[in-house]
Amino acid sequence: MGYYPTSLTGLIENFSKLPGIGFKTAERLAMHVLKMPYNEAAYFSESIMDVKKKIGFCSECFSLSDNEICSICANPLRHNSILCVTEQPADMIVIEKAGAFKGLYHILCGVLSPMDGVTPSDIKIKELVARIDKDKITEVIIATNTNAEGESTADYIANILKSKNIKISRIASGIPVGGELKYIDQVTLKRAMEARYAV
Amino acid sequence: MGYYPTSLTGLIENFSKLPGIGFKTAERLAMHVLKMPYNEAAYFSESIMDVKKKIGFCSECFSLSDNEICSICANPLRHNSILCVTEQPADMIVIEKAGAFKGLYHILCGVLSPMDGVTPSDIKIKELVARIDKDKITEVIIATNTNAEGESTADYIANILKSKNIKISRIASGIPVGGELKYIDQVTLKRAMEARYAV
């Protein structure tokens, strides 16, 4: 490390702390920053602090937002009586990218996991229940992950919402589109069989 | 891009401008920054501007430096009568890492390339000549690259320095250590034959 000027060593160190960036790549990225136009580097530097200073959680759905209310919750064109429940903001973004949903979201900010000490009060379940009453929600789609924690969280939420007069569904499991049967695990295949549909 | 809050979009954009970083990786890095402790992100942000504000060229050898004189030129333990001439600061760093040289460096900050309009006055050749006289240099090792531009720059410098009463050498070409003969190009092999040594 001593081969570089101190400031360059600092930048290399910072780059190599990022996930998937090794020392050699960090050296290359730091040299690239060195050669960047000054204002481009200033924009890069500022955007890091911007993210840290501005991003918080939407007070309605708990997704990431620069503002009190996120752009999806604030959008009057979204169907505001349907909620899609996900574990994390990243899950919401994947669904948005697929363009498959036009309602609003509710981010749990976690998943029930007794092993890690995460109980229903640690994630945004009571906020979900309050929102269903307040905003006259008629349908809830539970889109937690299909692993053990995600499934049990989905069951827990479905159970809690049973008493309300709303539609509750879980996104379908099955063979991924373009997937080959020989690479699919048995549990998925069993579910795909059970959920077969007439053609 | 519209799926993310504006500030996060900005950071993703900045990451994806870096060499070898695609959009997916940029998304992952930006999410990592979002989860970083505040002061770690502040250090990262500052280190980018530090590099832009502090790094300049050493006034002696033209390597990268935070100060007027770089740490190698300022080190009294280096042999100050031997110069190693390289094209770029990065070449100097590779030689330093190998630990094979204890003298001082002179960075040309370029290579002669008539095709790209780079002439002797565009690179630090007259500074090299002046330094040889001023600092009583007794030996110059030319460590430019072994491609066409590097070779002709080496020839040019050797020619200019011929009149001075100093040792001039060129780092050896040959088979890389650990290399296999069948993967070596013909020109390198020919040189390695010519430069054979008795054992």
Side-chain angles (χ1 to χ4, degrees):
Chain A
M1 290 292 272
Y3 314 117
Y4 293 102
T6 317
S7 57
L8 203 54
T9 304
L11 184 57
I12 293 171
E13 206 180 272
N14 274 304
F15 271 127
S16 58
K17 273 191 250 163
L18 297 175
I21 307 280
F23 185 76
K24 285 245 169 192
T25 307
E27 272 178 304
R28 197 160 46 89
L29 296 179
M31 290 305 253
H32 180 84
V33 169
L34 186 64
K35 287 175 193 159
M36 258 183 195
Y38 187 89
N39 55 355
E40 224 174 86
Y43 175 39
F44 186 12
S45 170
E46 271 164 36
S47 70
I48 291 173
M49 292 322 287
D50 253 24
V51 160
K52 300 304 290 184
K53 285 177 188 158
K54 291 186 188 163
I55 291 193
F57 293 108
C58 169
S59 62
E60 287 289 317
C61 72
F62 304 99
S63 69
L64 301 173
S65 176
D66 283 341
N67 306 307
E68 169 76 17
I69 304 286
C70 76
S71 59
I72 293 177
C73 286
N75 185 346
L77 299 174
R78 310 281 304 207
H79 303 309
N80 63 5
S81 61
I82 309 177
L83 287 188
C84 176
V85 177
T86 71
E87 294 178 20
Q88 300 293 350
D91 301 324
M92 182 208 93
I93 284 161
V94 173
I95 298 174
E96 274 299 284
K97 281 185 181 171
F101 180 68
K102 294 294 167 215
L104 303 179
Y105 291 90
H106 186 88
I107 321 293
L108 296 172
C109 301
V111 66
L112 295 180
S113 171
M115 296 278 280
D116 303 317
V118 182
T119 65
S121 62
D122 296 319
I123 64 178
K124 309 290 184 189
I125 291 181
K126 67 172 184 296
E127 288 83 352
L128 172 64
V129 175
R131 202 172 161 204
I132 288 169
D133 296 335
K134 177 173 73 81
D135 296 345
K136 302 191 178 60
I137 302 301
T138 58
E139 183 171 359
V140 169
I141 300 168
I142 306 173
T144 52
N145 288 325
T146 52
N147 53 20
E149 288 87 356
E151 292 284 296
S152 63
T153 306
D155 288 346
Y156 183 90
I157 292 174
N159 218 11
I160 282 209
L161 301 185
K162 217 187 288 174
S163 62
K164 316 235 174 240
N165 186 25
I166 56 175
K167 275 201 274 186
I168 304 167
S169 58
R170 177 94 176 91
I171 52 164
S173 312
I175 316 295
V177 179
E180 291 188 40
L181 285 195
K182 62 184 169 192
Y183 300 126
I184 304 295
D185 66 288
Q186 299 173 349
V187 181
T188 303
L189 209 50
K190 192 156 169 271
R191 280 225 199 162
M193 278 295 179
E194 288 163 2
R196 67 191 178 275
Y197 57 96
V199 286
Chain B
M1 291 291 270
Y3 313 118
Y4 293 102
T6 317
S7 57
L8 203 55
T9 303
L11 184 57
I12 293 171
E13 205 180 89
N14 275 303
F15 271 126
S16 58
K17 273 191 249 162
L18 297 175
I21 307 280
F23 185 74
K24 284 245 170 191
T25 308
E27 274 179 303
R28 197 160 45 89
L29 296 179
M31 289 305 253
H32 180 83
V33 168
L34 186 64
K35 287 175 193 159
M36 259 184 197
Y38 188 89
N39 55 353
E40 224 175 86
Y43 175 39
F44 185 14
S45 170
E46 272 164 34
S47 70
I48 291 173
M49 292 322 287
D50 254 22
V51 159
K52 298 307 289 184
K53 286 177 188 159
K54 292 188 186 162
I55 291 193
F57 293 109
C58 168
S59 62
E60 287 290 317
C61 73
F62 303 100
S63 69
L64 302 173
S65 177
D66 282 341
N67 306 307
E68 170 77 15
I69 305 285
C70 77
S71 59
I72 293 176
C73 286
N75 184 346
L77 299 174
R78 310 281 304 207
H79 303 310
N80 63 6
S81 62
I82 310 177
L83 286 188
C84 176
V85 177
T86 71
E87 293 178 21
Q88 300 293 351
D91 301 324
M92 184 208 90
I93 284 162
V94 172
I95 298 174
E96 274 298 286
K97 281 185 182 172
F101 181 66
K102 295 295 167 213
L104 302 179
Y105 291 90
H106 187 88
I107 320 294
L108 296 172
C109 301
V111 66
L112 295 180
S113 173
M115 295 277 279
D116 303 317
V118 181
T119 64
S121 62
D122 295 320
I123 64 177
K124 308 290 183 190
I125 290 181
K126 66 172 186 295
E127 289 82 354
L128 172 64
V129 175
R131 202 172 161 203
I132 288 169
D133 296 335
K134 176 172 74 79
D135 295 345
K136 302 186 178 61
I137 301 301
T138 58
E139 183 171 358
V140 169
I141 301 168
I142 305 173
T144 52
N145 287 325
T146 52
N147 53 21
E149 287 89 356
E151 293 283 297
S152 64
T153 306
D155 288 347
Y156 183 89
I157 292 174
N159 218 12
I160 283 210
L161 301 184
K162 218 187 287 174
S163 63
K164 316 239 173 237
N165 185 24
I166 56 175
K167 277 200 275 186
I168 304 168
S169 58
R170 177 93 174 92
I171 51 164
S173 309
I175 315 294
V177 178
E180 291 187 42
L181 286 193
K182 62 184 170 190
Y183 300 127
I184 305 294
D185 65 288
Q186 297 172 351
V187 181
T188 303
L189 210 50
K190 194 156 169 274
R191 281 227 198 161
M193 278 294 178
E194 287 163 2
R196 68 189 176 277
Y197 56 97
V199 287

